[in-house]
Amino acid sequence: MTFRYDFSAVGPDFPVARVAETIRDFKTYLGATGVPRKSLESSLLMASWNIQHFGGTGRSEEALWYIAEILSTFDIVAVQEVKRELDDLEAVLKLMGPWWRYVVTDVTEGTDGNDERLAYVYDSRKVRFSGLAGELVIPPVELDDGTEQPPVQFDRTPFLAGFSAGWFNFQLATVHLAWATGDAEDPDRVREAEALAKFMRRRTLTDRGTWSRNTFLIGDFNFFNEHSRAYLALEDNGFTIPVGRAELTQTNAGADARYYDQIAYLLADTNVAPAGLGVLDLFEVFYSDANFTRFYEAGLTRADGTVPGNKRSYYRNHYRRKQLSDHFPIWIELPIDFGLPYLESQI
């Protein structure tokens, strides 16, 4: 069991039966959608999840229990939109148990930075933090005359960290690329995607002192579709987007299917071949349409206490997204036991 259930510590108004039923239904959903059970030795479950405004927004205790359950499904999760206040993150980690750890950046300030942090949450029984962590800064651009000019940096600085699990050492670069505008080919987003892919390709393949030659780009890329220039920038620089990614359910909770969230990789270790890939449609279980009338309609109000005119619309498009998120997690399963191939190589 990866989540430490203890209803004895909750307040008198906490909906114990509802939370227990929902978490039970989520476990059934995981089995039906093919999410593998966590294994200590054979494979690694890696995920990325943009948790909308994660911190300082007054989420309910119920929602924090759900977030803890979702995160604990995996071994390591890259989390975007962690806010300046770490209250939600700290509360969720306390629920998950003392073996869970996190590594988090400082706040990116300014309008485009949106007071956001990037974080990795990981199960320390399975995943070991290498000690490598840093925010990515693009080096100066050398001009034709030999002089250098400062590059345009990221709106929200990507976060690089190294980890290991079993025989597998790897580094993750998690991002929340520029939204800028609603244009699928927004030039700021394309520029950031190209700069990230080029920088991490060089860092992975040729730079001296690179901690691992196995690199994952993971996070909220704000890609509209698999044909956009920003999306293709990853593949053009040697990163592999897993087979079947384009056929998965959308990772945004909006009406238009988008491919915002991605996991791409550039691997020196030939033993690593993804064994599974998926997206969790959280609203199939948490704050589902079926549970609106049963659990939420009667007492549903806005944050200011007023009653929305159309409760169902408010519930679907505002309430549940603010409680949980407007993004769904994307996950990948990777092998980490290379003992047999190693023995074979010595024969």
Side-chain angles (χ1 to χ4, degrees):
M1 183 170 65
T2 57
F3 181 88
R4 189 175 62 178
Y5 304 104
D6 182 8
F7 290 112
S8 65
V10 300
D13 296 327
F14 188 81
V16 173
R18 181 168 81 203
V19 171
E21 178 182 330
T22 302
I23 290 176
R24 180 205 63 189
D25 291 348
F26 179 60
K27 292 185 179 298
T28 302
Y29 167 80
L30 291 177
T33 54
V35 179
R37 292 178 62 88
K38 293 173 66 170
S39 164
L40 184 62
E41 297 180 350
S42 62
S43 67
L44 177 76
L45 287 176
M46 178 190 300
S48 177
W49 189 18
N50 179 323
I51 306 178
Q52 185 184 37
H53 299 160
F54 193 39
T57 56
R59 270 184 172 85
S60 68
E61 188 177 5
E62 176 183 4
L64 295 177
W65 273 67
Y66 295 155
I67 291 170
E69 175 65 29
I70 294 160
L71 291 174
S72 68
T73 302
F74 308 103
D75 298 308
I76 183 168
V77 185
V79 181
Q80 301 84 49
E81 282 202 38
V82 179
K83 301 296 284 184
R84 183 181 294 272
E85 297 83 357
L86 294 174
D87 52 341
D88 284 354
L89 181 61
E90 295 279 4
V92 164
L93 265 289
K94 184 176 181 181
L95 286 170
M96 292 167 69
W99 49 90
W100 284 91
R101 306 279 190 273
Y102 69 81
V103 185
V104 66
T105 65
D106 195 6
V107 175
T108 303
E109 298 188 351
T111 301
D112 294 330
N114 198 33
D115 255 14
E116 290 181 21
R117 306 173 187 263
L118 295 167
Y120 297 106
V121 175
Y122 63 97
D123 187 337
S124 65
R125 299 171 301 179
K126 175 80 162 286
V127 178
R128 298 176 299 279
F129 172 52
S130 71
L132 167 70
E135 297 178 83
L136 298 186
V137 178
I138 302 301
V141 177
E142 185 172 339
L143 304 178
D144 293 339
D145 62 4
T147 61
E148 293 182 340
Q149 72 175 25
V152 178
Q153 297 295 342
F154 297 93
D155 287 350
R156 291 170 285 219
T157 311
F159 182 30
L160 176 70
F163 298 91
S164 59
W167 290 67
F168 187 40
N169 295 333
F170 56 98
Q171 55 187 19
L172 304 179
T174 188
V175 303
H176 190 182
L177 293 190
W179 168 257
T181 68
D183 183 355
E185 301 291 356
D186 182 87
D188 285 343
R189 191 179 314 123
V190 173
R191 172 184 58 80
E192 290 194 349
E194 291 177 343
L196 172 73
K198 288 177 182 177
F199 182 88
M200 290 309 303
R201 181 179 188 275
R202 191 199 73 196
R203 180 59 53 86
T204 302
L205 298 179
T206 63
D207 278 6
R208 296 193 310 271
T210 294
W211 187 81
S212 174
R213 302 294 179 187
N214 301 311
T215 296
F216 292 83
L217 305 183
I218 183 169
D220 179 3
F221 290 79
N222 277 316
F223 294 159
F224 278 45
N225 57 63
E226 70 272 30
H227 309 296
S228 67
R229 287 172 54 204
Y231 185 102
L232 295 175
L234 304 189
E235 294 180 331
D236 291 345
N237 283 279
F239 283 88
T240 298
I241 295 174
V243 174
R245 170 63 189 96
E247 287 73 48
L248 293 176
T249 186
Q250 65 197 64
T251 57
N252 64 301
D256 297 325
R258 299 283 170 81
Y259 295 86
Y260 292 154
D261 305 279
Q262 300 290 333
I263 301 174
Y265 52 85
L266 180 57
L267 304 175
D269 201 322
T270 58
N271 293 307
V272 180
L277 177 74
V279 170
L280 298 184
D281 187 343
L282 300 178
F283 295 148
E284 289 290 313
V285 180
F286 302 102
Y287 304 105
S288 66
D289 289 339
N291 282 339
F292 168 68
T293 304
R294 287 185 66 200
F295 294 143
Y296 299 102
E297 182 177 18
L300 190 67
T301 61
R302 298 186 182 92
D304 62 5
T306 60
V307 177
N310 187 328
K311 282 190 173 184
R312 184 176 293 274
S313 175
Y314 179 78
Y315 171 80
R316 297 189 83 254
N317 298 310
H318 298 282
Y319 179 78
R320 65 181 183 176
R321 297 184 192 182
K322 291 182 181 299
Q323 290 296 313
L324 209 56
S325 184
D326 56 353
H327 285 245
F328 301 143
I330 182 171
W331 62 269
I332 190 170
E333 182 186 18
L334 301 158
I336 58 172
D337 182 1
F338 309 146
L340 186 58
Y342 176 77
L343 292 174
E344 294 287 354
S345 71
Q346 304 302 306
I347 298 173

PDB file of all heavy atoms in Angstrom, residues 22 25-26 29-30 33 249 279-291 315-316 320 324 328:
ATOM      1  N   THR A  22     -14.805   6.981  -3.226  1.00  0.00           N
ATOM      2  CA  THR A  22     -14.162   7.522  -4.418  1.00  0.00           C
ATOM      3  C   THR A  22     -12.779   6.901  -4.626  1.00  0.00           C
ATOM      4  O   THR A  22     -12.408   6.546  -5.754  1.00  0.00           O
ATOM      5  CB  THR A  22     -14.054   9.052  -4.318  1.00  0.00           C
ATOM      6  OG1 THR A  22     -15.364   9.613  -4.147  1.00  0.00           O
ATOM      7  CG2 THR A  22     -13.420   9.638  -5.566  1.00  0.00           C
ATOM      8  N   ASP A  25     -13.161   3.435  -5.901  1.00  0.00           N
ATOM      9  CA  ASP A  25     -13.527   3.434  -7.322  1.00  0.00           C
ATOM     10  C   ASP A  25     -12.325   3.784  -8.196  1.00  0.00           C
ATOM     11  O   ASP A  25     -12.197   3.276  -9.325  1.00  0.00           O
ATOM     12  CB  ASP A  25     -14.663   4.420  -7.572  1.00  0.00           C
ATOM     13  CG  ASP A  25     -15.979   3.965  -6.945  1.00  0.00           C
ATOM     14  OD1 ASP A  25     -16.062   2.796  -6.530  1.00  0.00           O
ATOM     15  OD2 ASP A  25     -16.904   4.802  -6.860  1.00  0.00           O
ATOM     16  N   PHE A  26     -11.441   4.642  -7.700  1.00  0.00           N
ATOM     17  CA  PHE A  26     -10.243   4.997  -8.462  1.00  0.00           C
ATOM     18  C   PHE A  26      -9.335   3.778  -8.638  1.00  0.00           C
ATOM     19  O   PHE A  26      -8.759   3.572  -9.708  1.00  0.00           O
ATOM     20  CB  PHE A  26      -9.494   6.126  -7.756  1.00  0.00           C
ATOM     21  CG  PHE A  26      -8.224   6.553  -8.440  1.00  0.00           C
ATOM     22  CD1 PHE A  26      -8.236   7.046  -9.731  1.00  0.00           C
ATOM     23  CD2 PHE A  26      -7.001   6.457  -7.787  1.00  0.00           C
ATOM     24  CE1 PHE A  26      -7.070   7.443 -10.363  1.00  0.00           C
ATOM     25  CE2 PHE A  26      -5.828   6.852  -8.401  1.00  0.00           C
ATOM     26  CZ  PHE A  26      -5.861   7.346  -9.698  1.00  0.00           C
ATOM     27  N   TYR A  29     -10.738   1.785 -11.335  1.00  0.00           N
ATOM     28  CA  TYR A  29     -10.467   2.468 -12.610  1.00  0.00           C
ATOM     29  C   TYR A  29      -9.041   2.210 -13.078  1.00  0.00           C
ATOM     30  O   TYR A  29      -8.797   1.950 -14.266  1.00  0.00           O
ATOM     31  CB  TYR A  29     -10.720   3.968 -12.430  1.00  0.00           C
ATOM     32  CG  TYR A  29     -10.198   4.845 -13.543  1.00  0.00           C
ATOM     33  CD1 TYR A  29     -10.899   4.991 -14.733  1.00  0.00           C
ATOM     34  CD2 TYR A  29      -8.993   5.545 -13.400  1.00  0.00           C
ATOM     35  CE1 TYR A  29     -10.419   5.808 -15.754  1.00  0.00           C
ATOM     36  CE2 TYR A  29      -8.516   6.356 -14.408  1.00  0.00           C
ATOM     37  CZ  TYR A  29      -9.225   6.484 -15.583  1.00  0.00           C
ATOM     38  OH  TYR A  29      -8.747   7.285 -16.588  1.00  0.00           O
ATOM     39  N   LEU A  30      -8.069   2.252 -12.161  1.00  0.00           N
ATOM     40  CA  LEU A  30      -6.682   2.005 -12.538  1.00  0.00           C
ATOM     41  C   LEU A  30      -6.514   0.616 -13.131  1.00  0.00           C
ATOM     42  O   LEU A  30      -5.817   0.424 -14.139  1.00  0.00           O
ATOM     43  CB  LEU A  30      -5.769   2.162 -11.322  1.00  0.00           C
ATOM     44  CG  LEU A  30      -5.587   3.569 -10.766  1.00  0.00           C
ATOM     45  CD1 LEU A  30      -4.717   3.530  -9.506  1.00  0.00           C
ATOM     46  CD2 LEU A  30      -4.967   4.499 -11.801  1.00  0.00           C
ATOM     47  N   THR A  33      -7.992   0.476 -16.688  1.00  0.00           N
ATOM     48  CA  THR A  33      -7.285   1.248 -17.717  1.00  0.00           C
ATOM     49  C   THR A  33      -5.858   0.788 -17.933  1.00  0.00           C
ATOM     50  O   THR A  33      -5.128   1.388 -18.718  1.00  0.00           O
ATOM     51  CB  THR A  33      -7.296   2.745 -17.366  1.00  0.00           C
ATOM     52  OG1 THR A  33      -6.773   2.930 -16.035  1.00  0.00           O
ATOM     53  CG2 THR A  33      -8.702   3.307 -17.426  1.00  0.00           C
ATOM     54  N   THR A 249      -6.057   9.806 -24.856  1.00  0.00           N
ATOM     55  CA  THR A 249      -7.028  10.840 -24.529  1.00  0.00           C
ATOM     56  C   THR A 249      -6.309  12.156 -24.250  1.00  0.00           C
ATOM     57  O   THR A 249      -5.129  12.173 -23.886  1.00  0.00           O
ATOM     58  CB  THR A 249      -7.863  10.424 -23.292  1.00  0.00           C
ATOM     59  OG1 THR A 249      -8.899  11.384 -23.090  1.00  0.00           O
ATOM     60  CG2 THR A 249      -7.005  10.353 -22.048  1.00  0.00           C
ATOM     61  N   VAL A 279      -2.827   8.105 -20.084  1.00  0.00           N
ATOM     62  CA  VAL A 279      -3.333   9.332 -19.479  1.00  0.00           C
ATOM     63  C   VAL A 279      -4.487   8.941 -18.561  1.00  0.00           C
ATOM     64  O   VAL A 279      -5.342   8.129 -18.937  1.00  0.00           O
ATOM     65  CB  VAL A 279      -3.819  10.331 -20.546  1.00  0.00           C
ATOM     66  CG1 VAL A 279      -4.563  11.503 -19.904  1.00  0.00           C
ATOM     67  CG2 VAL A 279      -2.653  10.841 -21.383  1.00  0.00           C
ATOM     68  N   LEU A 280      -4.522   9.495 -17.355  1.00  0.00           N
ATOM     69  CA  LEU A 280      -5.615   9.239 -16.415  1.00  0.00           C
ATOM     70  C   LEU A 280      -6.679  10.322 -16.555  1.00  0.00           C
ATOM     71  O   LEU A 280      -6.426  11.484 -16.241  1.00  0.00           O
ATOM     72  CB  LEU A 280      -5.091   9.223 -14.973  1.00  0.00           C
ATOM     73  CG  LEU A 280      -4.065   8.154 -14.613  1.00  0.00           C
ATOM     74  CD1 LEU A 280      -3.741   8.242 -13.116  1.00  0.00           C
ATOM     75  CD2 LEU A 280      -4.553   6.765 -14.968  1.00  0.00           C
ATOM     76  N   ASP A 281      -7.836   9.955 -17.032  1.00  0.00           N
ATOM     77  CA  ASP A 281      -8.964  10.885 -17.112  1.00  0.00           C
ATOM     78  C   ASP A 281      -9.602  10.949 -15.727  1.00  0.00           C
ATOM     79  O   ASP A 281     -10.498  10.174 -15.385  1.00  0.00           O
ATOM     80  CB  ASP A 281      -9.968  10.409 -18.156  1.00  0.00           C
ATOM     81  CG  ASP A 281     -11.079  11.416 -18.398  1.00  0.00           C
ATOM     82  OD1 ASP A 281     -11.256  12.320 -17.551  1.00  0.00           O
ATOM     83  OD2 ASP A 281     -11.781  11.301 -19.412  1.00  0.00           O
ATOM     84  N   LEU A 282      -9.121  11.861 -14.907  1.00  0.00           N
ATOM     85  CA  LEU A 282      -9.473  11.886 -13.489  1.00  0.00           C
ATOM     86  C   LEU A 282     -10.949  12.098 -13.238  1.00  0.00           C
ATOM     87  O   LEU A 282     -11.496  11.607 -12.244  1.00  0.00           O
ATOM     88  CB  LEU A 282      -8.665  12.977 -12.789  1.00  0.00           C
ATOM     89  CG  LEU A 282      -7.140  12.820 -12.846  1.00  0.00           C
ATOM     90  CD1 LEU A 282      -6.469  13.998 -12.157  1.00  0.00           C
ATOM     91  CD2 LEU A 282      -6.704  11.500 -12.217  1.00  0.00           C
ATOM     92  N   PHE A 283     -11.625  12.826 -14.115  1.00  0.00           N
ATOM     93  CA  PHE A 283     -13.029  13.121 -13.875  1.00  0.00           C
ATOM     94  C   PHE A 283     -13.945  11.947 -14.216  1.00  0.00           C
ATOM     95  O   PHE A 283     -15.171  12.058 -14.086  1.00  0.00           O
ATOM     96  CB  PHE A 283     -13.448  14.380 -14.634  1.00  0.00           C
ATOM     97  CG  PHE A 283     -12.750  15.628 -14.154  1.00  0.00           C
ATOM     98  CD1 PHE A 283     -12.464  16.662 -15.018  1.00  0.00           C
ATOM     99  CD2 PHE A 283     -12.379  15.754 -12.824  1.00  0.00           C
ATOM    100  CE1 PHE A 283     -11.823  17.812 -14.570  1.00  0.00           C
ATOM    101  CE2 PHE A 283     -11.735  16.887 -12.368  1.00  0.00           C
ATOM    102  CZ  PHE A 283     -11.448  17.919 -13.244  1.00  0.00           C
ATOM    103  N   GLU A 284     -13.370  10.830 -14.624  1.00  0.00           N
ATOM    104  CA  GLU A 284     -14.143   9.601 -14.688  1.00  0.00           C
ATOM    105  C   GLU A 284     -14.499   9.122 -13.287  1.00  0.00           C
ATOM    106  O   GLU A 284     -15.456   8.367 -13.103  1.00  0.00           O
ATOM    107  CB  GLU A 284     -13.347   8.520 -15.422  1.00  0.00           C
ATOM    108  CG  GLU A 284     -13.197   8.733 -16.917  1.00  0.00           C
ATOM    109  CD  GLU A 284     -14.513   8.548 -17.647  1.00  0.00           C
ATOM    110  OE1 GLU A 284     -15.202   7.553 -17.381  1.00  0.00           O
ATOM    111  OE2 GLU A 284     -14.857   9.415 -18.474  1.00  0.00           O
ATOM    112  N   VAL A 285     -13.675   9.527 -12.291  1.00  0.00           N
ATOM    113  CA  VAL A 285     -13.864   9.066 -10.916  1.00  0.00           C
ATOM    114  C   VAL A 285     -14.032  10.240  -9.951  1.00  0.00           C
ATOM    115  O   VAL A 285     -15.048  10.359  -9.261  1.00  0.00           O
ATOM    116  CB  VAL A 285     -12.674   8.188 -10.465  1.00  0.00           C
ATOM    117  CG1 VAL A 285     -12.893   7.712  -9.030  1.00  0.00           C
ATOM    118  CG2 VAL A 285     -12.487   7.011 -11.405  1.00  0.00           C
ATOM    119  N   PHE A 286     -13.044  11.115  -9.886  1.00  0.00           N
ATOM    120  CA  PHE A 286     -13.071  12.230  -8.935  1.00  0.00           C
ATOM    121  C   PHE A 286     -13.957  13.347  -9.479  1.00  0.00           C
ATOM    122  O   PHE A 286     -13.798  13.787 -10.615  1.00  0.00           O
ATOM    123  CB  PHE A 286     -11.654  12.763  -8.711  1.00  0.00           C
ATOM    124  CG  PHE A 286     -10.691  11.726  -8.212  1.00  0.00           C
ATOM    125  CD1 PHE A 286      -9.777  11.148  -9.078  1.00  0.00           C
ATOM    126  CD2 PHE A 286     -10.704  11.316  -6.888  1.00  0.00           C
ATOM    127  CE1 PHE A 286      -8.876  10.195  -8.633  1.00  0.00           C
ATOM    128  CE2 PHE A 286      -9.819  10.360  -6.430  1.00  0.00           C
ATOM    129  CZ  PHE A 286      -8.897   9.789  -7.299  1.00  0.00           C
ATOM    130  N   TYR A 287     -14.893  13.823  -8.649  1.00  0.00           N
ATOM    131  CA  TYR A 287     -15.807  14.888  -9.054  1.00  0.00           C
ATOM    132  C   TYR A 287     -16.458  14.561 -10.409  1.00  0.00           C
ATOM    133  O   TYR A 287     -16.548  15.408 -11.308  1.00  0.00           O
ATOM    134  CB  TYR A 287     -15.067  16.231  -9.125  1.00  0.00           C
ATOM    135  CG  TYR A 287     -14.385  16.610  -7.836  1.00  0.00           C
ATOM    136  CD1 TYR A 287     -12.995  16.504  -7.700  1.00  0.00           C
ATOM    137  CD2 TYR A 287     -15.107  17.044  -6.738  1.00  0.00           C
ATOM    138  CE1 TYR A 287     -12.359  16.836  -6.509  1.00  0.00           C
ATOM    139  CE2 TYR A 287     -14.485  17.367  -5.545  1.00  0.00           C
ATOM    140  CZ  TYR A 287     -13.108  17.257  -5.436  1.00  0.00           C
ATOM    141  OH  TYR A 287     -12.482  17.586  -4.247  1.00  0.00           O
ATOM    142  N   SER A 288     -16.898  13.335 -10.541  1.00  0.00           N
ATOM    143  CA  SER A 288     -17.478  12.877 -11.802  1.00  0.00           C
ATOM    144  C   SER A 288     -18.863  13.481 -12.014  1.00  0.00           C
ATOM    145  O   SER A 288     -19.512  13.971 -11.079  1.00  0.00           O
ATOM    146  CB  SER A 288     -17.582  11.351 -11.815  1.00  0.00           C
ATOM    147  OG  SER A 288     -18.521  10.916 -10.829  1.00  0.00           O
ATOM    148  N   ASP A 289     -19.328  13.423 -13.262  1.00  0.00           N
ATOM    149  CA  ASP A 289     -20.678  13.883 -13.563  1.00  0.00           C
ATOM    150  C   ASP A 289     -21.707  13.064 -12.795  1.00  0.00           C
ATOM    151  O   ASP A 289     -22.718  13.590 -12.320  1.00  0.00           O
ATOM    152  CB  ASP A 289     -20.941  13.774 -15.066  1.00  0.00           C
ATOM    153  CG  ASP A 289     -20.165  14.804 -15.866  1.00  0.00           C
ATOM    154  OD1 ASP A 289     -19.759  15.833 -15.287  1.00  0.00           O
ATOM    155  OD2 ASP A 289     -19.943  14.586 -17.074  1.00  0.00           O
ATOM    156  N   ALA A 290     -21.447  11.764 -12.662  1.00  0.00           N
ATOM    157  CA  ALA A 290     -22.391  10.892 -11.962  1.00  0.00           C
ATOM    158  C   ALA A 290     -22.532  11.259 -10.486  1.00  0.00           C
ATOM    159  O   ALA A 290     -23.600  11.082  -9.890  1.00  0.00           O
ATOM    160  CB  ALA A 290     -21.935   9.432 -12.093  1.00  0.00           C
ATOM    161  N   ASN A 291     -21.466  11.792  -9.896  1.00  0.00           N
ATOM    162  CA  ASN A 291     -21.498  12.131  -8.473  1.00  0.00           C
ATOM    163  C   ASN A 291     -21.973  13.553  -8.192  1.00  0.00           C
ATOM    164  O   ASN A 291     -22.071  13.947  -7.026  1.00  0.00           O
ATOM    165  CB  ASN A 291     -20.119  11.922  -7.847  1.00  0.00           C
ATOM    166  CG  ASN A 291     -19.833  10.458  -7.581  1.00  0.00           C
ATOM    167  OD1 ASN A 291     -20.752   9.649  -7.495  1.00  0.00           O
ATOM    168  ND2 ASN A 291     -18.562  10.110  -7.457  1.00  0.00           N
ATOM    169  N   TYR A 315     -19.915  23.483 -11.605  1.00  0.00           N
ATOM    170  CA  TYR A 315     -19.246  22.292 -11.075  1.00  0.00           C
ATOM    171  C   TYR A 315     -18.267  21.720 -12.099  1.00  0.00           C
ATOM    172  O   TYR A 315     -17.111  21.416 -11.780  1.00  0.00           O
ATOM    173  CB  TYR A 315     -20.311  21.265 -10.714  1.00  0.00           C
ATOM    174  CG  TYR A 315     -19.811  19.881 -10.356  1.00  0.00           C
ATOM    175  CD1 TYR A 315     -19.313  19.597  -9.095  1.00  0.00           C
ATOM    176  CD2 TYR A 315     -19.881  18.833 -11.283  1.00  0.00           C
ATOM    177  CE1 TYR A 315     -18.885  18.321  -8.753  1.00  0.00           C
ATOM    178  CE2 TYR A 315     -19.464  17.558 -10.962  1.00  0.00           C
ATOM    179  CZ  TYR A 315     -18.957  17.302  -9.697  1.00  0.00           C
ATOM    180  OH  TYR A 315     -18.529  16.031  -9.379  1.00  0.00           O
ATOM    181  N   ARG A 316     -18.723  21.583 -13.348  1.00  0.00           N
ATOM    182  CA  ARG A 316     -17.890  20.942 -14.380  1.00  0.00           C
ATOM    183  C   ARG A 316     -16.746  21.843 -14.831  1.00  0.00           C
ATOM    184  O   ARG A 316     -15.626  21.362 -15.069  1.00  0.00           O
ATOM    185  CB  ARG A 316     -18.732  20.565 -15.598  1.00  0.00           C
ATOM    186  CG  ARG A 316     -19.814  19.540 -15.321  1.00  0.00           C
ATOM    187  CD  ARG A 316     -20.472  19.051 -16.608  1.00  0.00           C
ATOM    188  NE  ARG A 316     -19.665  17.997 -17.225  1.00  0.00           N
ATOM    189  CZ  ARG A 316     -18.929  18.151 -18.286  1.00  0.00           C
ATOM    190  NH1 ARG A 316     -18.848  19.337 -18.874  1.00  0.00           N
ATOM    191  NH2 ARG A 316     -18.240  17.144 -18.795  1.00  0.00           N
ATOM    192  N   ARG A 320     -14.594  21.699  -9.966  1.00  0.00           N
ATOM    193  CA  ARG A 320     -13.752  20.502  -9.909  1.00  0.00           C
ATOM    194  C   ARG A 320     -12.359  20.750 -10.469  1.00  0.00           C
ATOM    195  O   ARG A 320     -11.401  20.090 -10.069  1.00  0.00           O
ATOM    196  CB  ARG A 320     -14.438  19.328 -10.612  1.00  0.00           C
ATOM    197  CG  ARG A 320     -14.648  19.474 -12.108  1.00  0.00           C
ATOM    198  CD  ARG A 320     -15.367  18.239 -12.630  1.00  0.00           C
ATOM    199  NE  ARG A 320     -15.551  18.264 -14.084  1.00  0.00           N
ATOM    200  CZ  ARG A 320     -16.090  17.247 -14.766  1.00  0.00           C
ATOM    201  NH1 ARG A 320     -16.499  16.162 -14.131  1.00  0.00           N
ATOM    202  NH2 ARG A 320     -16.227  17.327 -16.072  1.00  0.00           N
ATOM    203  N   LEU A 324      -9.261  19.924  -8.100  1.00  0.00           N
ATOM    204  CA  LEU A 324      -8.306  18.910  -8.554  1.00  0.00           C
ATOM    205  C   LEU A 324      -7.325  19.547  -9.532  1.00  0.00           C
ATOM    206  O   LEU A 324      -6.238  19.943  -9.153  1.00  0.00           O
ATOM    207  CB  LEU A 324      -9.070  17.751  -9.196  1.00  0.00           C
ATOM    208  CG  LEU A 324      -8.417  16.380  -9.101  1.00  0.00           C
ATOM    209  CD1 LEU A 324      -8.136  15.999  -7.661  1.00  0.00           C
ATOM    210  CD2 LEU A 324      -9.309  15.320  -9.754  1.00  0.00           C
ATOM    211  N   PHE A 328      -4.816  16.439 -16.800  1.00  0.00           N
ATOM    212  CA  PHE A 328      -4.774  15.050 -16.368  1.00  0.00           C
ATOM    213  C   PHE A 328      -3.326  14.543 -16.408  1.00  0.00           C
ATOM    214  O   PHE A 328      -2.539  14.975 -17.258  1.00  0.00           O
ATOM    215  CB  PHE A 328      -5.633  14.171 -17.280  1.00  0.00           C
ATOM    216  CG  PHE A 328      -7.083  14.569 -17.333  1.00  0.00           C
ATOM    217  CD1 PHE A 328      -7.787  14.476 -18.519  1.00  0.00           C
ATOM    218  CD2 PHE A 328      -7.744  15.030 -16.205  1.00  0.00           C
ATOM    219  CE1 PHE A 328      -9.131  14.831 -18.589  1.00  0.00           C
ATOM    220  CE2 PHE A 328      -9.081  15.394 -16.258  1.00  0.00           C
ATOM    221  CZ  PHE A 328      -9.777  15.294 -17.460  1.00  0.00           C
TER     222      PHE A 328
END
